[in-house]
Amino acid sequence: MSMRLQCHLLAERKHFKTPCILSLVYPKKNGLDLFPFTLTASEQISGRDSFPVKSGRSPLQTLQENDQLEQSAVQATMQGRRELLEETCHTHTRKRRVLGPEDLRHLIVDDKHKLLYCYVPKVACTNWKRVMMVLTGDGRYREPLAIPANEAHIAGNLRSLSEYSTAEINKRLRTYLKFVFVREPFERLVSAYRNKFTRSYNTAFHKRYGTKIIQRHRADPQAEALEKGNDVSFEEFVYYLVDPQTQREEPFNEHWERVHSLCHPCLIHYDVVGKYETLAQDSRYILKLAGAEGEVKFPATSKSTRTTGDMAAKFFDNISPFYQKKLYNLYRMDFLLFNYSMPAYLKLR
C-alpha cells in the first residue's frame, strides 16, 4: 500500500499561526481514503537564546512554550524567515502538490531528540549528517569531525523519514522539530560545479554527467573529452541545466536540484530555517532547542576554500545575459522563498 502526503497552507500568513493540514492518502479500489490532522505552525520562536530544556520536553514543545518570553535577536530572525517563507508560498504556490514517500528521502530522523533535518547538498550537509550521527549513534560517535566524510553519506548510517510507516511519518511530522539549512542559490550552484567538475577525484560525476554535457553542449568535442568528461566548463554546465531536455530525461542531481524541490518548504512546515551565511549561530540555536548542546558541538568550518559571492561572480563573467536570465528563472523560487536578492553581477537589468 503506497502512501501520499499532502499539506495545504490554508490561511493568510499575517495571522501568523497558520493551520497546515497534512493529509495521509491511501489508494483504494473505490477511490481515496483521507486521514487529515491539523498542524499548528508555531511561527513565533520566542524566548531567551539559552533557555533550559526540561527532561521529557521535545524541541518543538520547547520552541512553543517559550512563545511569550522576550525575543532574542536570533529568535526574531528565525521568525522573520518563516514569515517570509510562508508569505512567498502563499503568493506563488498555485497548485496543491501531493507528496509521496520518495519526496521524504532527504528528511533525516533523530528519534532520540525528536528532530527532522532536511539535508541540502553544498549547504554544510556533511557536517550536519556527522552531527546527526553523533546524536543518533548511542555513544558510537562522539566527535563529528572524527567521522569520515564518505561515512556520513552512507545511506544506512542515518534513517530517512521515507523508511517509516504512514502512521510513524504522521506522528513525526506532527510532533518533531523540522529544520533545513539553505544558501544563496548561485553560490551553492558554483560550489557544486567546482566540487563535482573541477576536482580530479570525482571521476564518477565526470563519467555520469560530464560526458553527457560535453556530447550535447560542446561543438566538435575531442575523443578524450567524450570518454572522460573531466573538463566541463561552467558555461557548458549552465547550458545543461537550462536545457529542457535535461529534466525531461531525469530529475536534477541533488547537488544542483533546487531546495524547494528537495525539501518542499511550501508543503512541509519547517520550524527553523537555518542559513549557510549564519551557520554557526543557527546550528547552536537548533542544538539548544534539542537540549543537545552538551552532547555535540557543530564543527567549525574552513573559510579558505568555500565558494563566495565574489567567486561566483567570476564564474558568471562568460555567461550571456540570455542564459543568466534562464538560469535565474530556474532557481527563482529559491531566491524568493529564502530572501536572497538577485545577484548584482547579473546583467539582466
Side-chain angles (χ1 to χ4, degrees):
M1 180 179 291
S2 65
M3 178 210 48
R4 291 285 186 268
L5 298 173
Q6 188 172 17
C7 187
H8 311 316
L9 293 174
L10 299 181
E12 294 286 338
R13 180 62 190 84
K14 63 187 177 184
H15 293 304
F16 221 68
K17 292 193 174 181
T18 303
C20 186
I21 303 300
L22 185 69
S23 299
L24 305 186
V25 185
Y26 296 79
K28 284 182 62 180
K29 289 183 180 178
N30 298 320
L32 297 174
D33 281 342
L34 299 180
F35 300 89
F37 62 81
T38 301
L39 291 175
T40 300
S42 297
E43 291 297 319
Q44 302 170 8
I45 298 188
S46 302
R48 292 181 176 80
D49 210 17
S50 57
F51 40 77
V53 179
K54 296 179 181 177
S55 177
R57 227 170 28 152
S58 74
L60 190 57
Q61 288 170 328
T62 300
L63 182 153
Q64 293 169 344
E65 288 172 13
N66 284 275
D67 274 355
Q68 304 309 314
L69 301 180
E70 182 182 351
Q71 281 192 328
S72 72
V74 175
Q75 290 159 338
T77 296
M78 293 297 178
Q79 176 180 311
R81 288 175 186 173
R82 283 192 313 280
E83 281 190 36
L84 183 136
L85 175 58
E86 195 165 335
E87 285 175 356
T88 307
C89 287
H90 181 77
T91 302
H92 294 277
T93 303
R94 293 286 178 260
K95 295 181 180 179
R96 292 178 175 178
R97 195 162 153 227
V98 176
L99 295 179
E102 69 279 1
D103 295 304
L104 305 176
R105 289 182 298 107
H106 273 245
L107 282 156
I108 294 172
V109 181
D110 174 3
D111 283 323
K112 180 180 176 183
H113 300 88
K114 297 188 175 181
L115 298 173
L116 291 176
Y117 161 54
C118 188
Y119 74 89
V120 178
K122 308 313 298 176
V123 192
C125 82
T126 300
N127 279 343
W128 257 112
K129 285 182 177 182
R130 286 166 162 157
V131 168
M132 295 293 280
M133 287 175 71
V134 173
L135 292 176
T136 61
D138 296 321
R140 283 175 292 161
Y141 310 100
R142 296 191 180 276
E143 173 54 48
L145 290 180
I147 302 171
N150 65 319
E151 191 172 332
H153 296 295
I154 295 173
N157 285 337
L158 291 163
R159 289 201 72 181
S160 162
L161 190 60
S162 63
E163 299 172 28
Y164 289 76
S165 70
T166 299
E168 290 171 326
I169 290 172
N170 178 323
K171 176 184 176 182
R172 283 160 179 79
L173 284 171
R174 186 175 63 240
T175 61
Y176 283 21
L177 184 88
K178 298 168 289 296
F179 68 98
V180 60
F181 273 81
V182 300
R183 183 178 185 179
E184 200 280 340
F186 283 171
E187 287 182 26
R188 176 175 170 249
L189 186 66
V190 170
S191 178
Y193 166 76
R194 292 177 65 213
N195 180 254
K196 300 307 175 187
F197 294 107
T198 71
R199 304 286 190 264
S200 59
Y201 55 79
N202 264 323
T203 54
F205 268 81
H206 301 161
K207 281 281 189 182
R208 172 76 175 80
Y209 296 101
T211 54
K212 181 186 294 186
I213 292 171
I214 290 169
Q215 182 180 30
R216 191 172 294 170
H217 298 289
R218 182 179 298 180
D220 301 321
Q222 297 296 313
E224 184 179 4
L226 287 170
E227 180 188 353
K228 294 184 177 179
N230 61 353
D231 64 345
V232 172
S233 70
F234 184 69
E235 192 172 6
E236 290 167 339
F237 181 50
V238 170
Y239 295 158
Y240 164 78
L241 293 173
V242 301
D243 182 353
Q245 186 178 345
T246 299
Q247 288 192 82
R248 281 200 297 265
E249 289 181 349
E250 61 181 345
F252 276 166
N253 180 276
E254 63 178 11
H255 290 84
W256 47 84
E257 180 60 281
R258 285 70 52 94
V259 177
H260 74 269
S261 296
L262 292 175
C263 296
H264 315 288
C266 291
L267 301 173
I268 298 171
H269 168 76
Y270 287 94
D271 305 288
V272 178
V273 177
K275 290 199 170 187
Y276 190 75
E277 295 78 10
T278 50
L279 177 63
Q281 168 188 282
D282 297 350
S283 298
R284 278 196 307 272
Y285 178 71
I286 291 164
L287 291 174
K288 283 181 181 180
L289 276 176
E293 68 269 37
E295 297 176 50
V296 62
K297 296 285 187 285
F298 190 83
T301 55
S302 168
K303 303 266 184 176
S304 58
T305 58
R306 64 163 284 191
T307 301
T308 63
D310 288 343
M311 191 181 296
K314 292 178 182 177
F315 278 85
F316 276 82
D317 277 348
N318 294 326
I319 308 300
S320 71
F322 176 79
Y323 281 102
Q324 286 185 6
K325 184 172 184 179
K326 278 183 169 290
L327 192 68
Y328 177 78
N329 287 338
L330 192 62
Y331 288 87
R332 178 172 172 265
M333 279 304 295
D334 278 2
F335 278 97
L336 295 176
L337 289 168
F338 305 114
N339 199 26
Y340 289 107
S341 302
M342 180 187 291
Y345 54 76
L346 295 186
K347 307 161 190 168
L348 308 185
R349 297 170 177 82

